[in-house]
Amino acid sequence: MSKIIAVTGATGSQGGGVANVMNKTPGWKVRAITRNVESEAAKKLAAEGIEVVSASFDDESSLVAAFEGVSAVFAVTNWWEHLFSGKTQEESGLLEEEQGMKLARAAAQAETLEHYIWSSCPGTKKLLHGEISVPHMDYKAKVDERIKNELPELAKKTTYLFFGYYPQNFLSFPLVKPIEYPGTGYHVQILPTDPDAKVLLSGDMKVNPGIWVRQALLSAPKSFGRYANVALEKWTFRQMMDVWSEVTGKRGHVIQCKPEDWAKVWGPAGRELALQFRFGEKCDPWVETDEHISPEELGIDRSEVVGFKGTIEGIKHFF
């Protein structure tokens, strides 16, 4: 009999990538958790043979019901959704922390649960001792600590995944999308950071999240209590633009601007992302420590992973 993995955010980037791969993994069935089972994205999942179940991150009892009988849970929250609904950066963080703990508590109540996989981020408190705060990262990191302190039995079977920069951002995220400047022959990416600062790249979000989740499950219990970077690449913004240009045939250039000027254009989302870039300039947030499990330990097949170049090649016709 197949085991069930409940995938939250299954209609989004990370959860969608997990559902995509786990739906093809022998011995596993996917249960997609979504607020709206009538959405086009949910109907598409159902058409692929995936069980689609309604639950709300704000309703712990609905999550308990949705997790009934599952062997594994992939949990992810969406800080940006709160921000774009009009909440402040801190308000969005508090809501994300609350939802993250409801997910964890609900999973802890599932008697059949063997493995909990939580999508998290490095926190500034640990790495920079609170010198700056990046709410969409810090509040996820708070959930890590609360799982360990408040739900020790769940913590014993939890794997924490760190996702980096999505190459698809070049296409779908207005703040970093290269814009064509008429008459110049160039597509320009204006960023509030050093073009030579390195960034963790998570590669193709349709594939890579599922690869890491599948391998975390297969490598258990070795993966319990460990962190893993969902990435095999750390590139600079200049490298990314050079490869984007190579693949698309369009000339691209990165221009650095001041964070305060960028925030004037993009508002709270700009302030938040500028803080993340500053975090990445002050240290390597994604540095691997003794708490991490390596791709080799997870049994990641590097030929299966789709990196930055492969991702851009797959979407180049949209540019």
Side-chain angles (χ1 to χ4, degrees):
M1 176 181 277
S2 295
K3 294 182 177 182
I4 299 171
I5 178 169
V7 179
T8 68
T11 58
S13 294
Q14 293 184 25
V18 174
N20 180 40
V21 170
M22 292 305 299
N23 194 40
K24 303 169 187 172
T25 301
W28 286 93
K29 289 184 177 180
V30 174
R31 179 181 295 169
I33 312 300
T34 181
R35 284 171 302 188
N36 182 10
V37 297
E38 297 300 322
S39 71
E40 289 304 313
K43 288 178 180 178
K44 184 176 182 293
L45 292 173
E48 295 169 0
I50 291 174
E51 178 188 10
V52 181
V53 173
S54 176
S56 169
F57 290 2
D58 297 316
D59 181 355
E60 190 172 320
S61 63
S62 74
L63 293 168
V64 171
F67 294 161
E68 186 175 349
V70 304
S71 296
V73 170
F74 171 75
V76 59
T77 49
N78 190 346
W79 180 93
W80 296 94
E81 182 179 47
H82 302 305
L83 187 77
F84 293 141
S85 73
K87 302 295 183 183
T88 67
Q89 289 163 262
E90 289 299 324
E91 287 171 341
S92 299
L94 290 168
L95 285 169
E96 181 169 52
E97 180 183 358
E98 182 180 335
Q99 290 181 338
M101 288 309 300
K102 284 179 179 175
L103 283 163
R105 287 193 295 264
Q109 294 177 60
E111 295 181 359
T112 54
L113 186 74
E114 299 172 3
H115 203 147
Y116 189 65
I117 300 176
W118 164 240
S119 173
S120 188
C121 278
T124 63
K125 183 177 180 181
K126 185 174 184 179
L127 292 173
L128 293 181
H129 309 291
E131 181 181 341
I132 61 173
S133 176
V134 186
H136 84 274
M137 303 179 77
D138 286 335
Y139 282 93
K140 286 187 180 70
K142 283 186 179 183
V143 174
D144 297 10
E145 297 308 312
R146 289 187 63 183
I147 288 173
K148 295 170 188 176
N149 294 329
E150 299 173 26
L151 300 168
E153 291 305 311
L154 182 68
K156 290 177 183 178
K157 48 190 174 186
T158 295
T159 301
Y160 309 86
L161 298 185
F162 284 168
F163 286 84
Y165 195 80
Y166 303 176
Q168 283 94 337
N169 287 344
F170 269 66
L171 177 66
S172 59
F173 199 45
L175 282 74
V176 298
K177 183 177 179 178
I179 303 297
E180 183 178 7
Y181 276 67
T184 68
Y186 274 95
H187 281 69
V188 177
Q189 190 179 44
I190 301 175
L191 298 175
T193 189
D194 182 351
D196 293 314
K198 286 194 173 182
V199 181
L200 183 76
L201 299 177
S202 282
D204 191 344
M205 296 304 291
K206 298 191 305 295
V207 179
N208 295 352
I211 293 173
W212 260 262
V213 166
R214 184 194 65 203
Q215 294 307 123
L217 293 169
L218 286 172
S219 63
K222 187 166 55 176
S223 58
F224 289 163
R226 308 285 292 280
Y227 287 80
N229 288 340
V230 182
L232 295 177
E233 299 169 328
K234 285 183 184 178
W235 287 11
T236 67
F237 290 99
R238 198 184 305 277
Q239 281 178 284
M240 284 186 265
M241 182 57 84
D242 287 346
V243 171
W244 180 86
S245 297
E246 175 192 338
V247 172
T248 64
K250 301 176 186 295
R251 290 194 295 174
H253 187 61
V254 184
I255 296 176
Q256 182 176 0
C257 69
K258 293 180 179 180
E260 54 269 28
D261 291 333
W262 210 58
K264 285 180 183 178
V265 175
W266 295 113
R271 286 195 296 274
E272 181 71 18
L273 202 53
L275 284 169
Q276 179 178 339
F277 291 153
R278 185 180 171 202
F279 183 20
E281 289 176 340
K282 286 185 168 291
C283 67
D284 180 359
W286 317 100
V287 65
E288 294 192 356
T289 68
D290 292 342
E291 293 182 294
H292 284 70
I293 183 168
S294 69
E296 290 72 26
E297 289 177 284
L298 286 170
I300 298 291
D301 180 352
R302 289 176 177 263
S303 67
E304 187 182 16
V305 177
V306 182
F308 182 89
K309 185 175 183 178
T311 306
I312 299 300
E313 287 174 340
I315 59 175
K316 66 180 180 181
H317 56 286
F318 291 113
F319 291 104

